[in-house]
Amino acid sequence: MDGIMGLRVLLCVSLVSLLTLQAMPAQGSPQRPKSSEKRQAVDTTVDGVIIQSLKVNCKVTSRFAHYVITSQVVNRADTAKEVAFDVEIPRTAFISDFVITANGKAFIGNIKDKVTAWKQYRKAAISGENAGIVRASGRMMEQFTIHITIGPHSKAMFRLTYEEVLKRRLSQYDIVIKVKPKQLVHHFEINMDIFEPQGISKLDAQTSFFPKELGTQLIKKSFSGKKGQVLFRPTVRQQQSCPSCSTTLLDGEFKVTYDVNRDKPCDLLVANNYFAHFFAPQNLTNLNKNLVFVIDISSSMEGQKVKQTKDALLKILEDIRPGDYFDLVLFGSAVQSWRGSLVLASPANLQAAQDFVRRFSLAGSTNLNGGLLRGIEILNKAQRSIPGFNNYAPILIMLTDGEPTEGVTDRSQILKNVRNAIGGRFPLYNLGFGHDVDFGFLEIMSMENNGRAQRIYEDHDATQQLQGFYDQVANPLLVDVDLQYPKDSVSALTQHNHKQYYEGSEIVVAGRIADQKLSSFKADVRAHGEGQEFKTTCLVNEDEMKKLLQERGHMLENHIERLWAYLTIQELLAKRKKLEGEEKANLLAKALKMSLDYQFVTPLTSMTMGGITDQDNLEPVIDKPQEESPPLETTRAVSIPAPVASGMGGALEKELAAPGKPSRLPSNCHSLSRVSVRAAGRAAFSYPQQCPEGARPMDTDPHFIIHVPQKEDTLCFNINEEPGVVLSLVQDPNTGFSVNGQLIGNKARSPGQHEGTYFGRLGIANPITGFQLEVTPQNITLNPGSGGPVFSWRDQASLRQDGVVVTINSKRNLVVSVEDGGTFEVVLHRVWKGSAIHHDFLGFYVLDSHRMSARTHGLLGQFFHPFDYKVSDLHPGSDPSKTDATMVVKNQQFTVTRGLQKDYSKDPRHGAEVTCWFVHNNGAGLIDGVHTDYIVPDIF
């Protein structure tokens, strides 16, 4: 294949304020003089492959950053080798070009709309193993990866280009490059060229992988006037982790920070009928704040979350300025406030508030609507009734880790309530703690109320994340900022009014200027400051612009236009989240057209790589992941006053427990399809486990577990049916929503042994909207009856259709969230060579069911709502080592056996043993009717 012999893993694209290089770096002993390097060459070969060069070139022009990452690898071996190009780039960035050159041929990416890419690579998705669209995302970045095979004694070069607008935070712009080449690099270089017409006021650069003193020696940086330069070019010996080592020191962050002069309150740049307006006035007096924190104290916040939240609040209370006013609102099942009205941030009040924070405890569910309305009421009352408060900057900050489960839970009603209560008077900032929050809901709410949402990650630094967010909004300088331009002179403006302007930030507006209107173009800025109106007019200095164009030339012209396009696309993508119907369709069409016109890989476009194919003759696709769609984490379950149904997925080893000693259930070591309903929406999944030696033959499946929190107990049962049978798992007659699962078989290996069965096909449907999702171990098909898109388990995607959101987390799971319904998870269980199980199979989990109607039924659905049972007459069974008992459920009396079951909710790989009462005969007596009542004709 002309030097590129095949693609093993197609392209992974991921993005955030970090750029990670993973190609194969170099390391060196920094103090080694150049002469010794010449005398004794360092071997940089790893498995016959060297990285000849790895270079990052970044050109910044008026905040618009254009990056080019180039890597050249050489295969010196006598056999073909697989090589990788692996980088991390900012999530906010758009890829605009990618080229692979091998054997003198260039393979160039072509950007097209994503729908076309889906259709073009449908075959890849159906094949299951070599999907064309592969995406991955992490906490702070998106990852771009391609693996190719190159022939012996040949080379390949990769060149990736991406672009972004740098955002000013805490009085500086940050460029962070995460360096991780994994082997020594012959020529490693990071070169940054910064051009800022306002003049550069400070410039610094440092690494996390070299001691500060050494980094200072190796990094060359300088700035004068409008220009700044940073160069980092460590030799091979300076890359080495020790003088005799072949490993590299380059593993960490390379960070550049800078800021510009602020002699004027604003700066206007114009080129080719496009303008960029940068507004960040200095020397303003801080406005005092009216600040209300609304904090989720539901039971799901227990553990590290509440500790980190308290630590952050205590530190924030220390930083509140003496002239500020504040209050605290807590919401669980009920809502409580610390004072119920704003109080001055006096030392005594701050101390009392800190004592309150230290003492409060968690309680119940999540009355998010009630908590927010209480906080809004406190701010509104103060603004109306207290003289002088109109000159204060009101701010509402809400933190939650879950979804609304108490009081008003309908999201559209909550949005309406909050919007009406705030009435555009102040910003709402939502902080979503962890991945169990409906972050899209929080984003829309903040967007509708002049604020923004930020995810707080469950990690050791959550306290610092919370405090870092507060630092960005701690010092408001202006409120009601409006940047005005002559209506007959400009069009296609980006956002030009802001509720508040904060110290250390910057407002950027871009737009188009009509032909022949430059002479009348200006910007008038109006805002409210401390005790006075703020007014200023910004004009274009045409002579200065001519000088700038001479200095920077075409790059300045190009960058101003692309800055406008970048900001416009980002704003359109954000606005689409709160629109519906034709208005949303028109907005998306505009964003798609601009993405194609400016050749950006956005959530609406994909880049195809013509001429490169894998073993199935399929071309790779570069595809940007959906915003804020991180993989779900496996976390602890929380009790709710309803039973929790759970069916096991993966091969379980089940044991009966005699008093003091566990013993085996009849016919054990199961490979089971697991269904798990977790309180508070926590996921739990299992992986196939090898049966221990001496275990009894495989029993039939699927196997179900019912967790009953109010009794602190667990029930379990099997369903024994033939392959091909379809079982009704969830059925809500009120909405028609259903989940059905079809069994596949595991052929018996000896006479008399039962053929094991597992879930091999799931159908999730909502007939009111026409939504259908078919899931198999090979692929995931949306609306299969109408030729909808097909995905593989390698994909990372987030889809929305008529109130249903489907999130595919690559190689892990998919989550289906139904508006005003339930949230469900499907986990793919892969089997390995030599496993007792011969087929990959599916595990099904119900993460959240509290919004399902009381009439919901099915093998799992009937357990979504509270039920009662009694266990009595514990006695040895026919085998004295096993404990039997009499159970009564719904006036049905039957015998159950005490046993141990593997629960994979906390340990997905090995599981933890959970004691349960095993109900024999296909759950007879426990389930309504008999198990054959749940057999249905098909998955839809």
Side-chain angles (χ1 to χ4, degrees):
M1 246 185 283
D2 298 319
I4 298 184
M5 310 212 27
L7 274 159
R8 179 180 69 83
V9 178
L10 299 180
L11 298 162
C12 291
V13 184
S14 335
L15 313 162
V16 157
S17 302
L18 293 132
L19 193 163
T20 307
L21 298 180
Q22 277 189 0
M24 294 176 188
Q27 320 189 351
S29 63
Q31 284 101 341
R32 195 71 55 105
K34 289 185 178 180
S35 58
S36 66
E37 191 164 346
K38 292 180 180 178
R39 288 196 300 270
Q40 183 177 358
V42 178
D43 184 12
T44 62
T45 306
V46 174
D47 193 26
V49 176
I50 66 167
I51 301 180
Q52 186 66 35
S53 65
L54 179 56
K55 298 181 179 180
V56 181
N57 184 277
C58 174
K59 291 186 181 297
V60 179
T61 306
S62 296
R63 291 41 152 206
F64 189 82
H66 177 92
Y67 304 82
V68 179
I69 305 174
T70 307
S71 178
Q72 186 176 71
V73 294
V74 180
N75 178 14
R76 291 181 170 178
D78 296 328
T79 58
K81 295 290 182 181
E82 183 184 89
V83 297
F85 179 70
D86 188 356
V87 302
E88 290 182 45
I89 63 182
R91 179 178 292 171
T92 52
F94 292 150
I95 289 174
S96 55
D97 191 32
F98 182 57
V99 179
I100 300 175
T101 304
N103 284 359
K105 289 189 176 183
F107 304 89
I108 303 172
N110 177 33
I111 295 176
K112 58 184 66 176
D113 70 277
K114 186 164 290 186
V115 173
T116 301
W118 280 352
K119 291 178 180 177
Q120 185 172 348
Y121 299 100
R122 180 181 175 90
K123 176 179 175 248
I126 292 173
S127 72
E129 293 301 319
N130 296 292
I133 302 174
V134 181
R135 287 142 286 176
S137 60
R139 169 178 167 180
M140 286 295 292
M141 62 212 74
E142 296 178 340
Q143 188 171 23
F144 177 97
T145 305
I146 184 169
H147 295 245
I148 68 171
T149 303
I150 59 174
H153 304 288
S154 60
K155 62 184 178 181
M157 186 183 77
F158 306 90
R159 189 185 73 221
L160 175 70
T161 303
Y162 66 94
E163 297 162 297
E164 67 167 338
V165 174
L166 300 178
K167 191 168 185 177
R168 188 172 186 248
R169 292 185 179 89
L170 302 177
S171 301
Q172 65 185 29
Y173 307 96
D174 294 341
I175 304 171
V176 183
I177 300 176
K178 206 169 180 185
V179 180
K180 195 174 184 180
K182 295 183 180 176
Q183 73 181 64
L184 299 172
V185 182
H186 272 253
H187 302 286
F188 182 92
E189 178 178 296
I190 298 176
N191 190 347
M192 296 198 179
D193 171 25
I194 302 171
F195 182 85
E196 289 289 354
Q198 289 171 263
I200 298 173
S201 62
K202 68 175 184 179
L203 175 66
D204 195 17
Q206 56 188 0
T207 73
S208 66
F209 44 84
F210 283 156
K212 186 174 181 180
E213 184 177 332
L214 180 58
T216 302
Q217 296 175 16
L218 295 180
I219 299 171
K220 298 178 181 179
K221 59 181 186 288
S222 62
F223 69 96
S224 177
K226 304 178 185 70
K227 298 180 180 179
Q229 189 80 26
V230 176
L231 181 64
F232 177 58
R233 191 186 288 160
T235 66
V236 171
R237 287 197 176 279
Q238 288 167 339
Q239 296 171 45
Q240 285 177 278
S241 53
C242 72
S244 59
C245 295
S246 60
T247 52
T248 178
L249 284 170
L250 305 190
D251 186 357
E253 292 183 351
F254 183 88
K255 184 175 183 180
V256 173
T257 60
Y258 79 94
D259 200 12
V260 302
N261 294 321
R262 307 284 170 181
D263 302 329
K264 297 181 293 182
C266 53
D267 189 62
L268 270 176
L269 298 179
V270 177
N272 281 353
N273 287 72
Y274 288 90
F275 78 88
H277 182 190
F278 303 97
F279 177 74
Q282 301 298 289
N283 303 317
L284 298 176
T285 303
N286 286 332
L287 288 167
N288 288 323
K289 301 187 296 294
N290 290 335
L291 184 63
V292 175
F293 296 96
V294 179
I295 307 297
D296 183 347
I297 60 165
S298 62
S299 55
S300 59
M301 285 282 291
E302 71 177 338
Q304 277 294 103
K305 284 188 198 174
V306 69
K307 179 182 182 303
Q308 291 171 324
T309 299
K310 287 188 174 191
D311 289 345
L313 283 173
L314 292 172
K315 183 64 175 67
I316 288 169
L317 288 169
E318 288 179 5
D319 295 338
I320 291 180
R321 295 199 310 266
D324 292 342
Y325 283 74
F326 73 104
D327 196 8
L328 301 165
V329 174
L330 309 178
F331 66 93
S333 294
V335 177
Q336 59 175 309
S337 54
W338 171 56
R339 286 291 187 259
S341 61
L342 294 178
V343 298
L344 180 66
S346 65
N349 283 336
L350 289 171
Q351 182 60 55
Q354 289 177 323
D355 293 341
F356 175 74
V357 168
R358 293 187 183 98
R359 288 195 311 268
F360 77 68
S361 58
L362 303 182
S365 303
T366 308
N367 189 352
L368 184 147
N369 180 78
L372 276 172
L373 293 184
R374 178 74 62 82
I376 295 167
E377 179 187 13
I378 291 170
L379 280 176
N380 282 338
K381 183 179 177 181
Q383 297 292 112
R384 288 193 305 263
S385 60
I386 302 178
F389 267 15
N390 286 333
N391 294 323
Y392 282 55
I395 300 174
L396 183 65
I397 300 175
M398 190 269 287
L399 179 142
T400 182
D401 80 325
E403 300 181 358
T405 59
E406 184 84 14
V408 178
T409 59
D410 179 79
R411 284 163 174 72
S412 60
Q413 186 61 49
I414 294 173
L415 291 174
K416 181 179 179 181
N417 292 345
V418 171
R419 192 169 56 243
N420 290 342
I422 291 179
R425 287 180 288 273
F426 48 82
L428 165 62
Y429 296 100
N430 284 327
L431 305 180
F433 205 150
H435 289 307
D436 293 319
V437 295
D438 185 344
F439 192 76
F441 169 60
L442 299 183
E443 278 189 306
I444 293 171
M445 191 192 304
S446 290
M447 208 182 311
E448 290 183 342
N449 294 282
N450 301 298
R452 63 184 172 90
Q454 181 168 314
R455 192 183 292 278
I456 303 299
Y457 293 87
E458 287 186 66
D459 211 337
H460 66 281
D461 65 341
T463 298
Q464 288 73 32
Q465 293 177 60
L466 289 165
Q467 188 181 340
F469 172 83
Y470 174 75
D471 289 344
Q472 294 180 47
V473 299
N475 297 303
L477 299 175
L478 297 171
V479 297
D480 298 325
V481 184
D482 187 17
L483 296 91
Q484 303 168 352
Y485 308 88
K487 292 182 179 180
D488 62 341
S489 300
V490 300
S491 62
L493 281 175
T494 60
Q495 183 181 351
H496 55 94
N497 44 64
H498 296 260
K499 202 63 192 170
Q500 297 183 358
Y501 163 69
Y502 299 98
E503 184 178 19
S505 67
E506 181 177 61
I507 295 173
V508 182
V509 182
R512 284 199 298 250
I513 304 174
D515 292 338
Q516 312 302 321
K517 293 290 185 178
L518 179 59
S519 58
S520 62
F521 178 71
K522 64 176 182 175
D524 292 316
V525 184
R526 301 290 182 266
H528 298 287
E530 172 59 33
Q532 61 182 357
E533 295 294 303
F534 177 92
K535 296 181 181 180
T536 188
T537 297
C538 304
L539 302 173
V540 178
N541 187 326
E542 295 189 46
D543 291 336
E544 181 65 23
M545 281 305 308
K546 289 177 183 177
K547 291 179 184 177
L548 293 175
L549 290 170
Q550 289 174 354
E551 288 184 72
R552 202 63 166 178
H554 174 70
M555 188 177 297
L556 179 62
E557 296 178 315
N558 184 53
H559 280 198
I560 290 177
E561 181 177 351
R562 293 183 75 81
L563 179 148
W564 165 78
Y566 172 96
L567 291 178
T568 301
I569 293 170
Q570 291 281 29
E571 288 183 9
L572 291 172
L573 292 173
K575 286 179 183 176
R576 84 188 195 276
K577 297 173 184 176
K578 60 179 183 177
L579 298 179
E580 297 293 341
E582 185 178 353
E583 191 177 5
K584 181 175 183 178
N586 292 339
L587 181 145
L588 288 176
K590 182 178 178 181
L592 173 60
K593 184 179 186 304
M594 290 191 66
S595 299
L596 294 172
D597 288 346
Y598 288 91
Q599 289 292 281
F600 286 141
V601 177
T602 72
L604 305 178
T605 56
S606 298
M607 178 185 285
T608 61
M609 297 296 297
I612 304 175
T613 59
D614 67 1
Q615 61 268 32
D616 290 335
N617 204 35
L618 298 169
E619 298 175 352
V621 170
I622 299 168
D623 196 33
K624 185 175 176 63
Q626 296 291 322
E627 306 96 321
E628 290 296 342
S629 57
L632 291 182
E633 299 174 346
T634 303
T635 52
R636 175 188 53 78
V638 194
S639 297
I640 56 174
V644 182
S646 179
M648 300 307 294
L652 306 185
E653 178 182 345
K654 225 171 24 177
E655 294 183 343
L656 286 181
K661 180 182 177 181
S663 59
R664 299 201 183 280
L665 266 175
S667 42
N668 261 312
C669 189
H670 294 275
S671 282
L672 308 168
S673 292
R674 177 183 181 110
V675 189
S676 180
V677 183
R678 285 287 172 205
R682 279 7 183 220
F685 27 103
S686 61
Y687 292 80
Q689 304 290 315
Q690 287 182 322
C691 296
E693 284 208 30
R696 303 284 298 270
M698 236 175 250
D699 200 350
T700 52
D701 293 302
H703 186 85
F704 301 95
I705 296 179
I706 313 300
H707 297 280
V708 190
Q710 67 266 37
K711 287 186 174 291
E712 297 183 352
D713 206 350
T714 303
L715 313 179
C716 54
F717 63 94
N718 280 352
I719 295 295
N720 303 320
E721 267 302 337
E722 299 300 318
V725 167
V726 180
L727 297 172
S728 171
L729 303 178
V730 179
Q731 176 70 48
D732 188 344
N734 284 13
T735 63
F737 180 86
S738 66
V739 182
N740 297 324
Q742 186 171 33
L743 304 179
I744 57 174
N746 193 54
K747 190 175 179 181
R749 293 177 295 173
S750 59
Q753 181 181 353
H754 195 284
E755 181 176 5
T757 54
Y758 323 94
F759 282 129
R761 187 168 167 244
L762 291 170
I764 303 173
N766 191 353
I768 291 178
T769 62
F771 171 84
Q772 289 184 337
L773 188 73
E774 181 180 3
V775 186
T776 71
Q778 289 73 43
N779 51 61
I780 300 149
T781 307
L782 182 64
N783 300 328
S786 56
V790 182
F791 300 86
S792 91
W793 285 93
R794 292 173 181 260
D795 289 338
Q796 177 81 29
S798 182
L799 313 169
R800 182 183 293 270
Q801 177 186 314
D802 298 324
V804 181
V805 177
V806 180
T807 303
I808 304 171
N809 296 305
S810 180
K811 301 180 184 179
R812 297 183 57 178
N813 63 353
L814 72 85
V815 177
V816 179
S817 181
V818 183
E819 190 175 278
D820 299 324
T823 302
F824 308 90
E825 178 188 36
V826 181
V827 177
L828 173 65
H829 294 290
R830 293 281 193 197
V831 300
W832 57 86
K833 187 177 180 180
S835 170
I837 313 159
H838 299 130
H839 301 285
D840 296 341
F841 59 96
L842 303 172
F844 178 74
Y845 302 70
V846 183
L847 305 183
D848 181 13
S849 61
H850 76 275
R851 293 188 302 274
M852 304 290 286
S853 79
R855 298 175 63 204
T856 301
H857 212 259
L859 280 169
L860 291 173
Q862 63 188 292
F863 300 110
F864 290 176
H865 308 288
F867 71 99
D868 194 20
Y869 66 88
K870 293 182 180 179
V871 177
S872 61
D873 188 27
L874 276 68
H875 60 275
S878 55
D879 182 340
S881 64
K882 302 168 187 174
T883 302
D884 281 359
T886 299
M887 178 173 287
V888 178
V889 180
K890 303 170 189 174
N891 297 320
Q892 297 283 327
Q893 181 173 304
F894 47 90
T895 298
V896 293
T897 306
R898 197 64 169 165
L900 292 177
Q901 178 65 70
K902 281 284 185 73
D903 183 338
Y904 290 82
S905 61
K906 295 182 181 178
D907 184 352
R909 182 165 293 277
H910 303 103
E913 290 190 338
V914 174
T915 304
C916 72
W917 288 109
F918 184 77
V919 182
H920 303 275
N921 302 321
N922 295 301
L926 176 64
I927 64 173
D928 292 337
V930 295
H931 82 278
T932 54
D933 296 340
Y934 300 88
I935 296 176
V936 292
D938 204 347
I939 61 170
F940 296 121

